Amino acid sequence: MDSVTIAGVDCGTNSIRLMVAEVDARGMHVVMPRMLRIIRLGQGVDRYRRFAEDALQRAYAAVREFADVLGRQHVDGIRFVATSATRDASNRSEFEDAVESILGVRPEVIPGSEEAALSFLGATATLGESQLPGQQSATGQQTDPAYMVVDLGGGSTEIVVGGDGVDIPAQTVRAGFSMNIGSVRMTERHLLSDPPTQTQIERATADIDAHIDEAFTHVPAQDVSTIIGVSGTVTTMSAIAMGCETYDRNAVDGATIGFDSIFEADGRVLRMSREERGALGAIHPGRIDVVGGGALIWTRVLKRVAAAAATRGTHIDSFLSSEHGLLDGIVLDYGRRMLAGQI
């Protein structure tokens, strides 16, 4: 078997995504465009520790749609991965049973450590030849290792650091950590007013920084040279920082975003009312009410990583925005294991 066609599903706290790709010795080749549905599965999970019935119904509707699409595709394997919200929900078995009955495959509720590793795989495996260590990307971003991949989700945020490219290969995970903070979780926990008050922002910032403090005891942030940001929050805020009037995946993917522009965009969107955010065409309607919380997390992570790197004499003032992350990692990892006869 020289290649396999894999369907991957990434079911997060805010969105669910589907991708079908062929995996072979050269890598991954997308067969059909990715599908994204905003389902807010994690609605209320931070507070009540269980899935709300309307959230489950939104998820099931999306899974039925994916099942219909996959029924018209040839695939050799399907992997359905569920992350932060499902890890926290006491009634997750109900969700798992229903998904299995619809799609024929049971969700894998993976730990944060595996989510982090798969995000790193997906983000770094898609770096092109012009983005190898020590070279410039097509957009001018220097991509020296060690890479830090940040996957900022609705319920959790994974940060992963790779090797230095000398003693440890650049695309090998050196350390990773999953922080229990995300755009939905921070919004539901702290940013309750419309727009949020300064006091709410300060409390959210303190919460975020405490999680980053813990993360930095697990990952060597001071060794990072290149930050790669993935997930809907990161790419949405990148589009806004770039001045996109509507979301442009091709423009955002691989773009170098300077800290000055992203901090301005993050702060502006954070302090907007829901109505004002709704007027920004680059924000998906399903993200309007929570993207401010994600923007705050993103600013704090970037500032804290840059400060840590500065202690080692490394100056970081930009990041690489990527459309590739957990979903790519799910498909690539599953396909590689299938080709190796491990599945």
Side-chain angles (χ1 to χ4, degrees):
M1 195 163 47
D2 295 325
S3 68
V4 289
T5 301
I6 303 298
V9 179
D10 165 18
C11 184
T13 299
N14 197 45
S15 64
I16 186 170
R17 305 166 190 258
L18 168 69
M19 180 172 72
V20 179
E22 181 185 7
V23 178
D24 58 24
R26 293 174 297 132
M28 186 172 65
H29 318 281
V30 176
V31 171
M32 57 166 276
R34 303 168 193 238
M35 293 179 65
L36 163 72
R37 297 293 180 265
I38 303 293
I39 57 173
R40 192 63 56 80
L41 180 61
Q43 170 192 330
V45 168
D46 185 65
R47 183 173 184 179
Y48 300 109
R49 289 295 189 268
R50 61 181 292 109
F51 290 133
E53 183 59 33
D54 51 342
L56 288 172
Q57 294 306 318
R58 290 192 296 269
Y60 300 157
V63 174
R64 290 188 189 98
E65 186 178 1
F66 289 178
D68 182 62
V69 169
L70 291 176
R72 301 191 295 272
Q73 295 278 341
H74 164 74
V75 295
D76 298 303
I78 303 174
R79 189 180 188 193
F80 188 116
V81 166
T83 56
S84 178
T86 311
R87 288 194 290 264
D88 291 350
S90 60
N91 58 339
R92 79 186 207 186
S93 60
E94 175 186 346
F95 169 71
E96 293 166 348
D97 290 344
V99 169
E100 186 173 20
S101 69
I102 296 169
L103 198 58
V105 61
R106 194 165 185 84
E108 295 179 49
V109 185
I110 62 173
S113 57
E114 184 176 357
E115 182 179 357
L118 289 173
S119 293
F120 187 86
L121 171 64
T124 59
T126 55
L127 292 177
E129 290 299 319
S130 64
Q131 295 172 285
L132 293 174
Q135 299 186 22
Q136 296 273 334
S137 73
T139 55
Q141 167 77 332
Q142 189 75 16
T143 58
D144 288 330
Y147 303 133
M148 173 181 278
V149 172
V150 182
D151 185 350
L152 201 170
S156 66
T157 297
E158 283 65 48
I159 57 175
V160 196
V161 174
D164 59 6
V166 180
D167 297 321
I168 303 173
Q171 292 180 322
T172 295
V173 172
R174 178 177 169 189
F177 189 75
S178 180
M179 301 183 289
N180 212 25
I181 52 174
S183 60
V184 175
R185 200 180 295 271
M186 286 298 97
T187 300
E188 291 186 351
R189 187 180 295 177
H190 298 291
L191 307 177
L192 303 176
S193 300
D194 183 24
T197 66
Q198 184 60 33
T199 297
Q200 290 171 352
I201 292 171
E202 290 171 359
R203 288 173 178 166
T205 300
D207 193 356
I208 293 164
D209 279 350
H211 282 85
I212 296 173
D213 287 342
E214 182 182 5
F216 282 8
T217 67
H218 297 271
V219 297
Q222 71 278 0
D223 294 344
V224 171
S225 294
T226 301
I227 303 172
I228 304 172
V230 305
S231 82
T233 290
V234 171
T235 55
T236 295
M237 293 312 305
S238 296
I240 293 171
M242 294 169 66
C244 298
E245 293 187 2
T246 58
Y247 188 78
D248 185 340
R249 184 180 190 275
N250 292 327
V252 168
D253 187 30
T256 300
I257 311 294
F259 282 179
D260 288 345
S261 61
I262 196 65
F263 293 159
E264 186 280 329
D266 284 347
R268 177 161 47 92
V269 169
L270 170 63
R271 290 169 173 80
M272 283 180 173
S273 67
R274 192 181 192 284
E275 182 178 2
E276 289 170 328
R277 290 193 296 271
L280 297 178
I283 303 179
H284 188 288
R287 301 191 194 281
I288 288 170
D289 57 335
V290 298
V291 71
L296 179 58
I297 295 170
W298 190 220
T299 283
R300 294 310 303 162
V301 169
L302 292 176
K303 287 185 174 181
R304 294 290 304 277
V305 174
T311 66
R312 294 286 296 270
T314 302
H315 177 66
I316 304 177
D317 60 6
S318 63
F319 70 92
L320 191 69
S321 174
S322 177
E323 280 276 354
H324 306 280
L326 177 58
L327 184 56
D328 300 75
I330 290 168
V331 172
L332 188 56
D333 171 71
Y334 196 79
R336 285 175 173 175
R337 289 191 288 123
M338 183 172 282
L339 287 172
Q342 298 171 354
I343 297 175

